Amino acid sequence: VATSTADGILKIWDIRKSTFVSYDNHEGRICAMDISVPDSDNKCSIVTAGVDSKIFVWKDKTSEKVLELKEAD
């Protein structure tokens, strides 16, 4: 389960353990989030977009940021 908050925090929940990992990279509210279908390793990617004009792509259940896109000048 993944949730996002008005203060820009993405949380990935492990509902079996009642724990979560949080990511706080947006400078403001997250306004969109999408989760990919699992790949061959059964991992998903999570994409967040914020009012800060940034898009982040995350690997499932890790703190590894895969890609950061910023608004073009």
Side-chain angles (χ1 to χ4, degrees), residues 2-65:
T3 60
S4 62
T5 63
D7 56 357
I9 297 173
L10 168 67
K11 292 182 180 179
I12 313 249
W13 297 82
D14 183 335
I15 56 175
R16 292 180 209 161
K17 297 178 183 178
S18 297
T19 59
F20 63 87
V21 176
S22 65
Y23 306 103
D24 186 15
N25 283 69
H26 283 285
E27 298 168 18
R29 180 173 43 93
I30 294 173
C31 54
M33 176 176 62
D34 196 14
I35 303 172
S36 70
V37 295
D39 62 15
S40 60
D41 295 326
N42 205 28
K43 298 287 184 182
C44 297
S45 293
I46 299 167
V47 179
T48 57
V51 296
D52 55 3
S53 299
K54 294 180 183 175
I55 297 172
F56 292 101
V57 180
W58 304 93
K59 281 189 177 179
D60 181 27
K61 294 199 240 179
T62 71
S63 59
E64 182 178 353
K65 180 173 48 173

